[in-house]
Amino acid sequence: MNYIKGMRLSNVPHGDYPFNIPAVRYLQRAGGISLEKPVTFLVGENGTGKSTLIEAIAVAMGFNAEGGSRDFYFDTRNTHSDLYEHLQLIKSVRPTDGFFLRAESFYNTASYLEDNSTLIRYGGVSFHEQSHGESFLALVINRFEGNGLYILDEPEAALSPQRLMSLLVAIDELVKANSQFIIATHSPILTAYPNAEILQFTEDGIDKVSYRETEHYKITKQFIDTPERIIKYLLNA
C-alpha cells in the first residue's frame, strides 16, 4: 500500500537553504519523483538532503517536525525548514495510522509521550528507563498498528546490528498489514529489505539504484572484506 505515490515542488524560491541543496534542485529540475514500492529508502552522503526532504514529507503530512503522530504538539526548538510549504505530495487513500520517528529528537518525543499518553500503548515501560535502542524498537513494535504511513529518519543511530534485523522483521510485518515506510538511512542492513525502492542522493541529484549499487553497501563490503588494508590506507600506516 502506498499512501504517498510521489512528490513534486512548486513555487520554489532560488538561492537560500534548503532550496540550494542537491535533492531539492533535482526535484525541481526533474518535475518530481514517484514512490512505487511500500518501502522507500533515502540513502547518500551527509549534506545531500535526505533528512531535509524526509522532514518536509512528514510535516506536509501533518506530523510534528520533531517526531510523533499527527496529534503531537510540542516544539523544543523550531529548526525545520519551510520546504514542506512547497512540497506537493501525490496521495492515494488516507492512512489510518502514522508516525514520524527521528533518532536525533527521540528523547523529546519520548518525554512528550510520557507526559501526555498512557504507556500501555507503548509497551508499558518508561522510555527513559530503557536504552535508546530498546525504547526506539519498543515504540515501533507496540505503537505502529498497521494500515499506516511510517517515516523514519536514521533509525540505525539508535539500534545495534542485531536490533536492526529485528526492525527489518517489524517492517515486514507492517508492510504485510498495508503499511508504507519512507526511511532515510546509512545502514546497509536496513536497505537489504527485499523489493524496496532505494533513492540514492548525490551532489548531482537523486537516482533509483539497486541494493548493491549503493555507496553504503560498496564501502561497507570493501571494509569488511579487507579491514587491514583499508585501515592501513586511512591511517597512512
Side-chain angles (χ1 to χ4, degrees):
M1 172 63 71
N2 276 33
Y3 301 100
I4 300 176
K5 293 182 172 290
M7 67 194 80
R8 56 178 174 259
L9 292 172
S10 64
N11 302 318
V12 178
H14 295 284
D16 295 336
Y17 173 87
F19 306 102
N20 59 353
I21 62 177
V24 176
R25 292 201 309 267
Y26 173 83
L27 279 176
Q28 184 179 17
R29 185 172 67 249
I33 195 165
S34 61
L35 303 182
E36 300 172 356
K37 303 289 182 66
V39 177
T40 302
F41 292 110
L42 314 184
V43 304
E45 276 301 321
N46 298 330
T48 50
K50 303 182 304 301
S51 291
T52 301
L53 181 58
I54 210 167
E55 176 189 81
I57 295 170
V59 175
M61 285 297 294
F63 296 111
N64 189 330
E66 291 187 41
S69 61
R70 294 185 184 89
D71 58 354
F72 277 44
Y73 303 102
F74 70 92
D75 184 4
T76 305
R77 184 180 180 188
N78 188 346
T79 59
H80 65 281
S81 75
D82 60 352
L83 177 61
Y84 73 96
E85 296 177 354
H86 304 270
L87 188 65
Q88 294 182 329
L89 300 178
I90 303 165
K91 307 172 188 177
S92 60
V93 299
R94 183 180 176 87
T96 58
D97 189 36
F99 209 93
F100 177 33
L101 188 55
R102 59 191 311 176
E104 69 173 347
S105 57
F106 181 65
Y107 181 92
N108 303 333
T109 303
S111 297
Y112 180 87
L113 280 169
E114 295 201 3
D115 292 341
N116 296 276
S117 302
T118 171
L119 286 177
I120 297 299
R121 192 182 184 191
Y122 301 91
V125 180
S126 167
F127 291 117
H128 295 310
E129 293 176 5
Q130 305 177 66
S131 72
H132 191 190
E134 287 173 330
S135 58
F136 203 97
L137 195 58
L139 183 97
V140 173
I141 292 172
N142 293 289
R143 167 59 182 80
F144 292 13
E145 299 172 347
N147 297 302
L149 171 66
Y150 304 109
I151 302 173
L152 313 183
D153 188 18
E154 299 186 358
E156 69 276 8
L159 300 173
S160 69
Q162 184 172 338
R163 291 293 189 244
L164 282 170
M165 294 180 193
S166 298
L167 178 59
L168 278 176
V169 173
I171 288 171
D172 189 56
E173 291 174 349
L174 287 158
V175 166
K176 291 172 181 174
N178 299 316
S179 297
Q180 179 182 10
F181 282 83
I182 303 174
I183 305 172
T185 184
H186 297 283
S187 170
I189 293 177
L190 279 184
T191 49
Y193 184 82
N195 300 315
E197 186 166 58
I198 303 176
L199 305 180
Q200 183 160 271
F201 287 47
T202 69
E203 289 297 325
D204 297 320
I206 305 172
D207 295 310
K208 294 187 178 183
V209 298
S210 68
Y211 174 59
R212 287 180 171 80
E213 289 177 321
T214 65
E215 288 300 315
H216 297 332
Y217 171 84
K218 292 177 182 177
I219 292 171
T220 302
K221 185 178 187 305
Q222 185 179 33
F223 187 90
I224 290 173
D225 285 348
T226 58
E228 296 84 3
R229 183 173 66 85
I230 301 299
I231 289 295
K232 183 176 181 180
Y233 171 78
L234 291 174
L235 305 185
N236 197 27

